[in-house]
Structure formats: structure tokens, C-alpha cells
Amino acid sequence: MKSLDVKVWGVRKRNTKKSSYDVRWTVAGNVFSEQFRTKGLADHYRSKLLRAAHAGEEFDTETGLPDSMVEKAASMTWYTFALKYLAMKWPHAAPNTRSGINEALTAVTMALLDERPGQPSEDLIRRALRNWAFVLPGPDEREVPTEIANTLHWVAKASRPLSDLGDAAIGRAVLDSLKLKLDGTAAAAETVRRKRRTLVNALHYAVDLGEFKENPITGIRWKKPKVAGEVDPRVVANPAQARALLTAVSYVGGYGRARGRRLVGLFACMYYGALRPAEAVGLTDADLKLPEAGWGTVLLNRTRPSVGKQWTDSGETHDDRGLKNRPAEEVRLVPIPPQLVAILRQHLDTFGTAEDGRLFTNERGGVVGSSTYYRVWQEARALALPPAAVASPLAARPYDLRHSALSTWLNSGVDPTEVAERAGNSVEVLLSRYAKCIDGRQEIVNRKIEELLREYE
């Protein structure tokens, strides 16, 4: 049944613990309402009803919606589409990428939920999405707790149509929601940009499916948060500080337990060889050439990044992959100085290797987790550095040892092409990231200017 007897009322804030807004209207005497999380979304929905009424569209007396909005409501929901996108991306994505996709889809899904009766708590919705909906195998292929199953059923009903993202106001509201953490404070710029990249990529897939003629998000004028691409010079340790930190690592956990001693070589690889932590964790005896004197070499061909079990195909905490941003079969040869050769030889003499040849293990012989070496590093900083330096960003993370190594090499005058080759970076990325860490340039420029001026005196 159709009717043109339409009256659209205003937006009303509901008196509940969580802010929500009602849009109410009547069609042929019947009252209809929709609830929204923000006043902006409610105002936008009301304006669409008003435009339809002013344009003379017929309204359905059962749904209360004009014809244009009835068609949109019948389209694929965002949640249904997100599950399709996940199934497409998951098999070919690295574990850390899977975790990032999961995080982004969860955030966007939370932003595209309507208010409906029986709504679970936000924490329960988020857990259901993060731990069940956006992980493969999905909830349809696993035994799901009743509470989770009921929550996901509610999400499926409350999810807004995918086509709503074709509206710039809604798209902008979703993008703005990515800027906030759960506590309402600003999210890190890199986190926001990563989530937006996933959303953009997902909607490229929607275009491929014929849901949109073009990606609706890329056309939105939205200010992206700025990401600091350069390394902070304050994190870079000089050679004396680096040596003190490596010595302090050996004192962590006592001599007998050797909690720190077994990891000295791991941190030394990051500083003297500029290895990434995951590259150092994956090192095996077969990757090394350690002469009795002089320089040795490390042949890198694998990484063991620390990720959650739900993100790996093997179900193990650590993935086993090739080098970062390289084909699986590619290797990288890194010359290592005598200092690192001596440390690794001593490590092998003292601790040997794991059954699979790995140099570095935890106390139980397993793969060293990032949380394990991070705790050791924090204890070592407290031992090696004065209180003011401990409170500063100086070598605050193990990864900063790699920053220190590359900065030292560049400052020593090594050709950037060679540094980039050893580091596994491009020259452009290397110079842009470490521009602020290269000391001595001002002095060189000043001398050249001074010499030029002196010629004319």
C-alpha cells in the first residue's frame, strides 16, 4: 500500500545511558521511527525523508520508507559484505595483515550499526567481531558460544546497508570514527591510516562486485592524520651507549638462569648488523659464517614475526616467512663486524642451538617472543642508563638498535646504496627516514660556505 500523507518530525535525543537519537515520521497516520548513534546521522536520515516527501515520492505504509530508500534497505548490508571481503583477502594475507584487516573491519562495523532492541554491550559486540566474525574459519564453521551467536545475529540485523557508504556524510562519519580509541581519545595516526587503507581496499572490492560504480571513500574530502615518517634522533644510541646496553642485558635474570645472557646475541644482531627483530629471531647456525678473525656474514632468508595464534595458518604464535616485502625465495647478505662475530661465536659455545638450528631460544627452548625480549630490554635499560636517560626515548624499544646501526653507518660516510642494501630498504626510504639522524651535515655545509666567502675577502 502506498501513501503521500507524510509528516516528518524532528530529531529527538533519547534519555538513555548511551546517547542515541530518534527520527520519527508518520505515513497515512502510522508512526515510524529510526534510532541513530549520532545527531549528525539522524539529521541526515531526516533530510532524506524530507527530500523524498518534497519530491512527491510515494511512501510504503508498511515500512514507512519512500521507494528510493526501500530499494536501498534491501541491498547487501555492510556486515554481509565485510564477511565476503574477509574471505577473499584472508588466504593470501600475512598474519599481521590479517590482524590489521580484522581490526579495521571491526571498527567500521561498529560505526555502521543501527539502534535495535536487544542490543548487546559494545564490549561484547567488539569481542564477537574481533574474535569470531572476522577470523577464519568463521563462526559458521566453529562451535560458537550462545552469547556470541546471539550477538552476531543482532549485528547482522542491525548492520546498515553497504550502499549507505555511497553517501558522503555517512562515509565521512565512518572515517571520523576511526580517529578515536575505545576510551574516546585520539588514535595513533598510523593506526587511523592503516584502517582507512583497509576500508578503501574493501570498497575497491565492492566496485569489482558491482555494488558501486566507483569507490565512494576516495572522493571524500577528509583530512588524514599526519604520520611521522622520520626516525626521532632522540632514540638513536651512540656506540658507547649501545655497548653499555648490551653488557647490561647479560646481567638481566642472573647468571645461572641466563634470561638475559641468552639474548645478548639477539640484540647485538640488531645493533651491529641492523637486523630487524623478526630476522634476528629466525637466525639459524646455517645462516652464519663466523671466522676466527675479521668480518663474517649473515645470509638472511626468513623471519619469525610474533603474531597471535588466530592469525597464522599453522596455529602457532610465530609465523615462519620470507624477508619483509621480498619474494619468498629472496635472500639478503649482510656483512657483520668482528664485534658481532665474537659475540655470536661465544653464544654458540655457551648455549648451542635449538633442534631446528635456531640461535636464540627462550628458557624453554622455544621461539623467542617479542614480549620476552621486550621485558629483558626494559630491565637492561634501567641497569645501563642514568634515570634521566631511562625516562627519555633513548633506545626505548629493541627496534631502536636497528635505527642506531643505520644512523651510525650513514654518519660514518658509508655510501647510502650500500647501507640500503644491507638494511633491506630502498635508498629513498633510507634517506627520508634517517635524514634527521645524520649528524655533521651542517658543519660540512658551513665550512663550504666559509671557504667560498674567504675566497672573496
PDB file of all heavy atoms in Angstrom, residues 358-389:
ATOM      1  N   ARG A 358      68.017 -22.939  15.299  1.00  0.00           N
ATOM      2  CA  ARG A 358      67.876 -21.539  15.687  1.00  0.00           C
ATOM      3  C   ARG A 358      68.897 -21.155  16.751  1.00  0.00           C
ATOM      4  O   ARG A 358      69.150 -21.909  17.691  1.00  0.00           O
ATOM      5  CB  ARG A 358      66.476 -21.268  16.225  1.00  0.00           C
ATOM      6  CG  ARG A 358      65.411 -21.085  15.173  1.00  0.00           C
ATOM      7  CD  ARG A 358      64.044 -20.844  15.795  1.00  0.00           C
ATOM      8  NE  ARG A 358      63.597 -21.997  16.547  1.00  0.00           N
ATOM      9  CZ  ARG A 358      63.561 -22.060  17.867  1.00  0.00           C
ATOM     10  NH1 ARG A 358      63.952 -21.012  18.594  1.00  0.00           N
ATOM     11  NH2 ARG A 358      63.137 -23.146  18.487  1.00  0.00           N
ATOM     12  N   LEU A 359      69.459 -19.955  16.604  1.00  0.00           N
ATOM     13  CA  LEU A 359      70.453 -19.487  17.569  1.00  0.00           C
ATOM     14  C   LEU A 359      69.830 -19.097  18.902  1.00  0.00           C
ATOM     15  O   LEU A 359      70.379 -19.398  19.963  1.00  0.00           O
ATOM     16  CB  LEU A 359      71.194 -18.259  17.007  1.00  0.00           C
ATOM     17  CG  LEU A 359      72.520 -18.519  16.292  1.00  0.00           C
ATOM     18  CD1 LEU A 359      72.274 -19.284  15.005  1.00  0.00           C
ATOM     19  CD2 LEU A 359      73.222 -17.192  16.020  1.00  0.00           C
ATOM     20  N   PHE A 360      68.692 -18.416  18.831  1.00  0.00           N
ATOM     21  CA  PHE A 360      68.138 -17.799  20.038  1.00  0.00           C
ATOM     22  C   PHE A 360      66.838 -18.485  20.440  1.00  0.00           C
ATOM     23  O   PHE A 360      65.938 -18.682  19.612  1.00  0.00           O
ATOM     24  CB  PHE A 360      67.912 -16.312  19.801  1.00  0.00           C
ATOM     25  CG  PHE A 360      69.139 -15.612  19.282  1.00  0.00           C
ATOM     26  CD1 PHE A 360      69.160 -15.068  17.996  1.00  0.00           C
ATOM     27  CD2 PHE A 360      70.291 -15.530  20.049  1.00  0.00           C
ATOM     28  CE1 PHE A 360      70.286 -14.435  17.511  1.00  0.00           C
ATOM     29  CE2 PHE A 360      71.431 -14.908  19.571  1.00  0.00           C
ATOM     30  CZ  PHE A 360      71.436 -14.360  18.290  1.00  0.00           C
ATOM     31  N   THR A 361      66.757 -18.846  21.704  1.00  0.00           N
ATOM     32  CA  THR A 361      65.572 -19.514  22.238  1.00  0.00           C
ATOM     33  C   THR A 361      65.182 -18.857  23.554  1.00  0.00           C
ATOM     34  O   THR A 361      65.983 -18.160  24.181  1.00  0.00           O
ATOM     35  CB  THR A 361      65.834 -21.008  22.486  1.00  0.00           C
ATOM     36  OG1 THR A 361      66.799 -21.139  23.556  1.00  0.00           O
ATOM     37  CG2 THR A 361      66.363 -21.694  21.238  1.00  0.00           C
ATOM     38  N   ASN A 362      63.948 -19.120  23.978  1.00  0.00           N
ATOM     39  CA  ASN A 362      63.567 -18.709  25.321  1.00  0.00           C
ATOM     40  C   ASN A 362      64.068 -19.763  26.317  1.00  0.00           C
ATOM     41  O   ASN A 362      64.751 -20.720  25.929  1.00  0.00           O
ATOM     42  CB  ASN A 362      62.055 -18.496  25.424  1.00  0.00           C
ATOM     43  CG  ASN A 362      61.263 -19.730  25.031  1.00  0.00           C
ATOM     44  OD1 ASN A 362      61.733 -20.871  25.162  1.00  0.00           O
ATOM     45  ND2 ASN A 362      60.041 -19.531  24.547  1.00  0.00           N
ATOM     46  N   GLU A 363      63.711 -19.615  27.557  1.00  0.00           N
ATOM     47  CA  GLU A 363      64.236 -20.521  28.588  1.00  0.00           C
ATOM     48  C   GLU A 363      63.750 -21.951  28.405  1.00  0.00           C
ATOM     49  O   GLU A 363      64.369 -22.895  28.917  1.00  0.00           O
ATOM     50  CB  GLU A 363      63.860 -20.002  29.975  1.00  0.00           C
ATOM     51  CG  GLU A 363      64.528 -18.678  30.325  1.00  0.00           C
ATOM     52  CD  GLU A 363      64.137 -18.172  31.699  1.00  0.00           C
ATOM     53  OE1 GLU A 363      64.611 -18.738  32.697  1.00  0.00           O
ATOM     54  OE2 GLU A 363      63.338 -17.218  31.765  1.00  0.00           O
ATOM     55  N   ARG A 364      62.659 -22.137  27.687  1.00  0.00           N
ATOM     56  CA  ARG A 364      62.126 -23.489  27.449  1.00  0.00           C
ATOM     57  C   ARG A 364      62.574 -24.040  26.098  1.00  0.00           C
ATOM     58  O   ARG A 364      62.137 -25.117  25.705  1.00  0.00           O
ATOM     59  CB  ARG A 364      60.595 -23.454  27.508  1.00  0.00           C
ATOM     60  CG  ARG A 364      60.044 -23.043  28.870  1.00  0.00           C
ATOM     61  CD  ARG A 364      58.528 -23.017  28.871  1.00  0.00           C
ATOM     62  NE  ARG A 364      58.017 -22.077  27.873  1.00  0.00           N
ATOM     63  CZ  ARG A 364      57.912 -20.764  28.083  1.00  0.00           C
ATOM     64  NH1 ARG A 364      58.300 -20.235  29.227  1.00  0.00           N
ATOM     65  NH2 ARG A 364      57.427 -19.974  27.143  1.00  0.00           N
ATOM     66  N   GLY A 365      63.388 -23.289  25.373  1.00  0.00           N
ATOM     67  CA  GLY A 365      63.877 -23.751  24.083  1.00  0.00           C
ATOM     68  C   GLY A 365      63.007 -23.367  22.920  1.00  0.00           C
ATOM     69  O   GLY A 365      63.305 -23.728  21.782  1.00  0.00           O
ATOM     70  N   GLY A 366      61.917 -22.628  23.171  1.00  0.00           N
ATOM     71  CA  GLY A 366      61.007 -22.238  22.100  1.00  0.00           C
ATOM     72  C   GLY A 366      61.455 -20.967  21.398  1.00  0.00           C
ATOM     73  O   GLY A 366      62.499 -20.382  21.704  1.00  0.00           O
ATOM     74  N   VAL A 367      60.649 -20.539  20.444  1.00  0.00           N
ATOM     75  CA  VAL A 367      60.935 -19.306  19.710  1.00  0.00           C
ATOM     76  C   VAL A 367      60.796 -18.118  20.658  1.00  0.00           C
ATOM     77  O   VAL A 367      59.859 -18.046  21.456  1.00  0.00           O
ATOM     78  CB  VAL A 367      59.975 -19.153  18.511  1.00  0.00           C
ATOM     79  CG1 VAL A 367      60.264 -17.864  17.760  1.00  0.00           C
ATOM     80  CG2 VAL A 367      60.093 -20.351  17.579  1.00  0.00           C
ATOM     81  N   VAL A 368      61.727 -17.196  20.584  1.00  0.00           N
ATOM     82  CA  VAL A 368      61.711 -16.033  21.478  1.00  0.00           C
ATOM     83  C   VAL A 368      60.565 -15.104  21.091  1.00  0.00           C
ATOM     84  O   VAL A 368      60.508 -14.614  19.957  1.00  0.00           O
ATOM     85  CB  VAL A 368      63.051 -15.272  21.409  1.00  0.00           C
ATOM     86  CG1 VAL A 368      63.021 -14.082  22.368  1.00  0.00           C
ATOM     87  CG2 VAL A 368      64.200 -16.196  21.753  1.00  0.00           C
ATOM     88  N   GLY A 369      59.657 -14.849  22.017  1.00  0.00           N
ATOM     89  CA  GLY A 369      58.533 -13.959  21.757  1.00  0.00           C
ATOM     90  C   GLY A 369      58.916 -12.501  21.929  1.00  0.00           C
ATOM     91  O   GLY A 369      59.850 -12.172  22.674  1.00  0.00           O
ATOM     92  N   SER A 370      58.200 -11.627  21.258  1.00  0.00           N
ATOM     93  CA  SER A 370      58.501 -10.192  21.346  1.00  0.00           C
ATOM     94  C   SER A 370      58.315  -9.688  22.770  1.00  0.00           C
ATOM     95  O   SER A 370      59.074  -8.825  23.227  1.00  0.00           O
ATOM     96  CB  SER A 370      57.613  -9.406  20.379  1.00  0.00           C
ATOM     97  OG  SER A 370      56.239  -9.643  20.642  1.00  0.00           O
ATOM     98  N   SER A 371      57.321 -10.215  23.488  1.00  0.00           N
ATOM     99  CA  SER A 371      57.120  -9.775  24.870  1.00  0.00           C
ATOM    100  C   SER A 371      58.293 -10.193  25.747  1.00  0.00           C
ATOM    101  O   SER A 371      58.674  -9.473  26.675  1.00  0.00           O
ATOM    102  CB  SER A 371      55.817 -10.353  25.423  1.00  0.00           C
ATOM    103  OG  SER A 371      55.835 -11.771  25.397  1.00  0.00           O
ATOM    104  N   THR A 372      58.913 -11.337  25.438  1.00  0.00           N
ATOM    105  CA  THR A 372      60.054 -11.817  26.226  1.00  0.00           C
ATOM    106  C   THR A 372      61.251 -10.898  26.058  1.00  0.00           C
ATOM    107  O   THR A 372      61.833 -10.418  27.044  1.00  0.00           O
ATOM    108  CB  THR A 372      60.434 -13.245  25.798  1.00  0.00           C
ATOM    109  OG1 THR A 372      59.342 -14.124  26.045  1.00  0.00           O
ATOM    110  CG2 THR A 372      61.664 -13.732  26.555  1.00  0.00           C
ATOM    111  N   TYR A 373      61.645 -10.634  24.809  1.00  0.00           N
ATOM    112  CA  TYR A 373      62.839  -9.798  24.645  1.00  0.00           C
ATOM    113  C   TYR A 373      62.567  -8.335  24.969  1.00  0.00           C
ATOM    114  O   TYR A 373      63.469  -7.594  25.356  1.00  0.00           O
ATOM    115  CB  TYR A 373      63.499  -9.976  23.271  1.00  0.00           C
ATOM    116  CG  TYR A 373      62.718  -9.582  22.041  1.00  0.00           C
ATOM    117  CD1 TYR A 373      62.450  -8.266  21.731  1.00  0.00           C
ATOM    118  CD2 TYR A 373      62.307 -10.561  21.129  1.00  0.00           C
ATOM    119  CE1 TYR A 373      61.768  -7.917  20.580  1.00  0.00           C
ATOM    120  CE2 TYR A 373      61.625 -10.222  19.968  1.00  0.00           C
ATOM    121  CZ  TYR A 373      61.362  -8.895  19.701  1.00  0.00           C
ATOM    122  OH  TYR A 373      60.688  -8.547  18.559  1.00  0.00           O
ATOM    123  N   TYR A 374      61.312  -7.916  24.879  1.00  0.00           N
ATOM    124  CA  TYR A 374      60.991  -6.531  25.254  1.00  0.00           C
ATOM    125  C   TYR A 374      61.173  -6.330  26.759  1.00  0.00           C
ATOM    126  O   TYR A 374      61.729  -5.308  27.193  1.00  0.00           O
ATOM    127  CB  TYR A 374      59.562  -6.188  24.843  1.00  0.00           C
ATOM    128  CG  TYR A 374      59.192  -4.742  25.077  1.00  0.00           C
ATOM    129  CD1 TYR A 374      59.496  -3.760  24.142  1.00  0.00           C
ATOM    130  CD2 TYR A 374      58.554  -4.353  26.249  1.00  0.00           C
ATOM    131  CE1 TYR A 374      59.171  -2.430  24.355  1.00  0.00           C
ATOM    132  CE2 TYR A 374      58.221  -3.022  26.475  1.00  0.00           C
ATOM    133  CZ  TYR A 374      58.534  -2.072  25.528  1.00  0.00           C
ATOM    134  OH  TYR A 374      58.213  -0.748  25.753  1.00  0.00           O
ATOM    135  N   ARG A 375      60.710  -7.299  27.574  1.00  0.00           N
ATOM    136  CA  ARG A 375      60.865  -7.179  29.032  1.00  0.00           C
ATOM    137  C   ARG A 375      62.344  -7.164  29.425  1.00  0.00           C
ATOM    138  O   ARG A 375      62.770  -6.382  30.277  1.00  0.00           O
ATOM    139  CB  ARG A 375      60.141  -8.323  29.740  1.00  0.00           C
ATOM    140  CG  ARG A 375      58.627  -8.200  29.737  1.00  0.00           C
ATOM    141  CD  ARG A 375      58.002  -9.174  30.721  1.00  0.00           C
ATOM    142  NE  ARG A 375      58.279 -10.553  30.346  1.00  0.00           N
ATOM    143  CZ  ARG A 375      57.491 -11.293  29.589  1.00  0.00           C
ATOM    144  NH1 ARG A 375      56.374 -10.777  29.096  1.00  0.00           N
ATOM    145  NH2 ARG A 375      57.799 -12.556  29.305  1.00  0.00           N
ATOM    146  N   VAL A 376      63.129  -8.041  28.801  1.00  0.00           N
ATOM    147  CA  VAL A 376      64.563  -8.065  29.084  1.00  0.00           C
ATOM    148  C   VAL A 376      65.197  -6.725  28.733  1.00  0.00           C
ATOM    149  O   VAL A 376      66.035  -6.193  29.484  1.00  0.00           O
ATOM    150  CB  VAL A 376      65.247  -9.216  28.309  1.00  0.00           C
ATOM    151  CG1 VAL A 376      66.765  -9.093  28.394  1.00  0.00           C
ATOM    152  CG2 VAL A 376      64.799 -10.566  28.849  1.00  0.00           C
ATOM    153  N   TRP A 377      64.800  -6.158  27.610  1.00  0.00           N
ATOM    154  CA  TRP A 377      65.377  -4.894  27.177  1.00  0.00           C
ATOM    155  C   TRP A 377      65.051  -3.769  28.158  1.00  0.00           C
ATOM    156  O   TRP A 377      65.920  -2.946  28.462  1.00  0.00           O
ATOM    157  CB  TRP A 377      64.872  -4.533  25.778  1.00  0.00           C
ATOM    158  CG  TRP A 377      65.510  -3.302  25.224  1.00  0.00           C
ATOM    159  CD1 TRP A 377      64.922  -2.096  24.993  1.00  0.00           C
ATOM    160  CD2 TRP A 377      66.883  -3.150  24.850  1.00  0.00           C
ATOM    161  NE1 TRP A 377      65.832  -1.200  24.504  1.00  0.00           N
ATOM    162  CE2 TRP A 377      67.046  -1.830  24.395  1.00  0.00           C
ATOM    163  CE3 TRP A 377      67.973  -4.010  24.855  1.00  0.00           C
ATOM    164  CZ2 TRP A 377      68.266  -1.344  23.958  1.00  0.00           C
ATOM    165  CZ3 TRP A 377      69.196  -3.526  24.417  1.00  0.00           C
ATOM    166  CH2 TRP A 377      69.341  -2.207  23.976  1.00  0.00           C
ATOM    167  N   GLN A 378      63.830  -3.718  28.659  1.00  0.00           N
ATOM    168  CA  GLN A 378      63.460  -2.676  29.613  1.00  0.00           C
ATOM    169  C   GLN A 378      64.263  -2.787  30.902  1.00  0.00           C
ATOM    170  O   GLN A 378      64.678  -1.774  31.483  1.00  0.00           O
ATOM    171  CB  GLN A 378      61.958  -2.736  29.912  1.00  0.00           C
ATOM    172  CG  GLN A 378      61.068  -2.437  28.710  1.00  0.00           C
ATOM    173  CD  GLN A 378      61.450  -1.149  28.008  1.00  0.00           C
ATOM    174  OE1 GLN A 378      61.603  -0.107  28.637  1.00  0.00           O
ATOM    175  NE2 GLN A 378      61.628  -1.218  26.694  1.00  0.00           N
ATOM    176  N   GLU A 379      64.497  -4.012  31.355  1.00  0.00           N
ATOM    177  CA  GLU A 379      65.317  -4.196  32.556  1.00  0.00           C
ATOM    178  C   GLU A 379      66.761  -3.776  32.289  1.00  0.00           C
ATOM    179  O   GLU A 379      67.421  -3.184  33.156  1.00  0.00           O
ATOM    180  CB  GLU A 379      65.261  -5.656  33.004  1.00  0.00           C
ATOM    181  CG  GLU A 379      63.886  -6.089  33.506  1.00  0.00           C
ATOM    182  CD  GLU A 379      63.881  -7.536  33.981  1.00  0.00           C
ATOM    183  OE1 GLU A 379      64.807  -7.917  34.718  1.00  0.00           O
ATOM    184  OE2 GLU A 379      62.959  -8.287  33.600  1.00  0.00           O
ATOM    185  N   ALA A 380      67.267  -4.063  31.098  1.00  0.00           N
ATOM    186  CA  ALA A 380      68.645  -3.692  30.754  1.00  0.00           C
ATOM    187  C   ALA A 380      68.802  -2.176  30.693  1.00  0.00           C
ATOM    188  O   ALA A 380      69.826  -1.629  31.130  1.00  0.00           O
ATOM    189  CB  ALA A 380      69.037  -4.331  29.423  1.00  0.00           C
ATOM    190  N   ARG A 381      67.819  -1.471  30.160  1.00  0.00           N
ATOM    191  CA  ARG A 381      67.896  -0.003  30.097  1.00  0.00           C
ATOM    192  C   ARG A 381      67.998   0.581  31.500  1.00  0.00           C
ATOM    193  O   ARG A 381      68.766   1.529  31.733  1.00  0.00           O
ATOM    194  CB  ARG A 381      66.658   0.578  29.404  1.00  0.00           C
ATOM    195  CG  ARG A 381      66.603   0.379  27.909  1.00  0.00           C
ATOM    196  CD  ARG A 381      65.393   1.066  27.305  1.00  0.00           C
ATOM    197  NE  ARG A 381      65.582   2.508  27.146  1.00  0.00           N
ATOM    198  CZ  ARG A 381      64.932   3.440  27.813  1.00  0.00           C
ATOM    199  NH1 ARG A 381      64.026   3.087  28.716  1.00  0.00           N
ATOM    200  NH2 ARG A 381      65.156   4.727  27.597  1.00  0.00           N
ATOM    201  N   ALA A 382      67.223   0.027  32.438  1.00  0.00           N
ATOM    202  CA  ALA A 382      67.268   0.526  33.817  1.00  0.00           C
ATOM    203  C   ALA A 382      68.632   0.288  34.456  1.00  0.00           C
ATOM    204  O   ALA A 382      69.067   1.065  35.317  1.00  0.00           O
ATOM    205  CB  ALA A 382      66.175  -0.142  34.644  1.00  0.00           C
ATOM    206  N   LEU A 383      69.322  -0.773  34.040  1.00  0.00           N
ATOM    207  CA  LEU A 383      70.649  -1.068  34.575  1.00  0.00           C
ATOM    208  C   LEU A 383      71.736  -0.220  33.929  1.00  0.00           C
ATOM    209  O   LEU A 383      72.689   0.201  34.591  1.00  0.00           O
ATOM    210  CB  LEU A 383      70.983  -2.551  34.366  1.00  0.00           C
ATOM    211  CG  LEU A 383      70.186  -3.578  35.167  1.00  0.00           C
ATOM    212  CD1 LEU A 383      70.537  -4.993  34.704  1.00  0.00           C
ATOM    213  CD2 LEU A 383      70.487  -3.430  36.662  1.00  0.00           C
ATOM    214  N   ALA A 384      71.602   0.059  32.643  1.00  0.00           N
ATOM    215  CA  ALA A 384      72.691   0.680  31.890  1.00  0.00           C
ATOM    216  C   ALA A 384      72.640   2.197  31.852  1.00  0.00           C
ATOM    217  O   ALA A 384      73.684   2.846  31.711  1.00  0.00           O
ATOM    218  CB  ALA A 384      72.692   0.147  30.458  1.00  0.00           C
ATOM    219  N   LEU A 385      71.451   2.770  31.934  1.00  0.00           N
ATOM    220  CA  LEU A 385      71.301   4.205  31.691  1.00  0.00           C
ATOM    221  C   LEU A 385      70.983   4.960  32.977  1.00  0.00           C
ATOM    222  O   LEU A 385      70.328   4.422  33.880  1.00  0.00           O
ATOM    223  CB  LEU A 385      70.183   4.449  30.678  1.00  0.00           C
ATOM    224  CG  LEU A 385      70.332   3.758  29.312  1.00  0.00           C
ATOM    225  CD1 LEU A 385      69.096   4.016  28.463  1.00  0.00           C
ATOM    226  CD2 LEU A 385      71.586   4.247  28.598  1.00  0.00           C
ATOM    227  N   PRO A 386      71.397   6.219  33.070  1.00  0.00           N
ATOM    228  CA  PRO A 386      71.000   7.047  34.215  1.00  0.00           C
ATOM    229  C   PRO A 386      69.501   7.318  34.165  1.00  0.00           C
ATOM    230  O   PRO A 386      68.871   7.201  33.109  1.00  0.00           O
ATOM    231  CB  PRO A 386      71.818   8.333  34.019  1.00  0.00           C
ATOM    232  CG  PRO A 386      72.168   8.355  32.569  1.00  0.00           C
ATOM    233  CD  PRO A 386      72.301   6.930  32.141  1.00  0.00           C
ATOM    234  N   PRO A 387      68.908   7.690  35.305  1.00  0.00           N
ATOM    235  CA  PRO A 387      67.442   7.865  35.364  1.00  0.00           C
ATOM    236  C   PRO A 387      66.879   8.790  34.291  1.00  0.00           C
ATOM    237  O   PRO A 387      65.826   8.513  33.709  1.00  0.00           O
ATOM    238  CB  PRO A 387      67.215   8.428  36.771  1.00  0.00           C
ATOM    239  CG  PRO A 387      68.367   7.902  37.574  1.00  0.00           C
ATOM    240  CD  PRO A 387      69.535   7.879  36.626  1.00  0.00           C
ATOM    241  N   ALA A 388      67.580   9.886  34.015  1.00  0.00           N
ATOM    242  CA  ALA A 388      67.064  10.829  33.013  1.00  0.00           C
ATOM    243  C   ALA A 388      67.013  10.181  31.639  1.00  0.00           C
ATOM    244  O   ALA A 388      66.073  10.407  30.861  1.00  0.00           O
ATOM    245  CB  ALA A 388      67.944  12.082  32.970  1.00  0.00           C
ATOM    246  N   ALA A 389      68.022   9.350  31.313  1.00  0.00           N
ATOM    247  CA  ALA A 389      68.037   8.680  30.015  1.00  0.00           C
ATOM    248  C   ALA A 389      66.986   7.574  29.954  1.00  0.00           C
ATOM    249  O   ALA A 389      66.388   7.336  28.895  1.00  0.00           O
ATOM    250  CB  ALA A 389      69.420   8.100  29.742  1.00  0.00           C
TER     251      ALA A 389
END
